Amino acid sequence: MKSLQVIAGFETSEISGMAKDVESRVREAQRQFPAFKDKLVLMLDMTVYLPEVHVLPVHKLEQFPGDDPIWPEIANEIRQRSDSPPKGYMFSVVKIHLGKSKFTLFSPSTALRMAFVGQYFSDNEASVDIDDSKVSGD
């Protein structure tokens, strides 16, 4: 559990520290994938130095080994249970190394909040609010 807390802290810190870049990437993804505007996911890639952020539609996330399409299921579950308005992206994932392999994890910070607070999103979640007028005013 301690390593999950470390990854969650790093995730929150990185996303907060890259707020302007995240906002820009969300707007770019909304333009690039207009049909999936409400199904975007933020990926923090910690397999590279310096960590990078990517925003992409949920169906483009790498799957777990096997054919189980888990990310769309997670997205649907979050959308059904969350009463919070979208924050430019539905949830974040973190790409990490485990030995020589790379894995994409559901947001550790969100997972810990879900486990200990009993809600999917809270007001203090590391996120970037997107002003829709900026997106449509291009």
Side-chain angles (χ1 to χ4, degrees):
M1 181 67 113
K2 289 182 183 180
S3 61
L4 187 61
Q5 291 171 326
V6 171
I7 295 170
F10 190 77
E11 171 196 11
T12 301
S13 174
E14 286 295 308
I15 291 172
S16 296
M18 297 182 194
K20 292 290 182 193
D21 188 34
V22 170
E23 183 177 341
S24 171
R25 290 179 186 271
V26 168
R27 275 197 225 110
E28 180 182 315
Q30 288 173 332
R31 282 190 295 270
Q32 186 177 359
F33 307 106
F36 302 102
K37 189 175 179 177
D38 64 337
K39 296 180 182 176
L40 296 175
V41 176
L42 175 75
M43 181 176 69
L44 177 63
D45 188 350
M46 294 176 23
T47 65
V48 295
Y49 182 81
L50 298 165
E52 299 174 351
V53 291
H54 305 276
V55 179
L56 57 157
V58 68
H59 70 276
K60 291 195 175 261
L61 281 177
E62 296 172 7
Q63 295 296 309
F64 289 108
D67 296 326
D68 185 19
I70 193 160
W71 294 122
E73 289 179 21
I74 289 173
N76 289 337
E77 183 76 15
I78 288 173
R79 192 177 302 111
Q80 289 172 4
R81 292 184 182 226
S82 176
D83 55 4
S84 298
K87 298 179 179 176
Y89 56 90
M90 294 178 57
F91 58 90
S92 58
V93 296
V94 178
K95 191 172 189 178
I96 61 166
H97 275 292
L98 183 58
K100 293 182 179 184
S101 300
K102 294 179 184 180
F103 293 92
T104 303
L105 306 175
F106 178 73
S107 167
S109 62
T110 302
L112 288 171
R113 275 194 311 279
M114 288 166 56
F116 296 107
V117 180
Q119 61 183 16
Y120 279 85
F121 296 100
S122 65
D123 292 343
N124 62 356
E125 178 184 359
S127 66
V128 177
D129 292 322
I130 299 301
D131 183 355
D132 286 336
S133 64
K134 291 178 185 175
V135 174
S136 59
D138 289 8

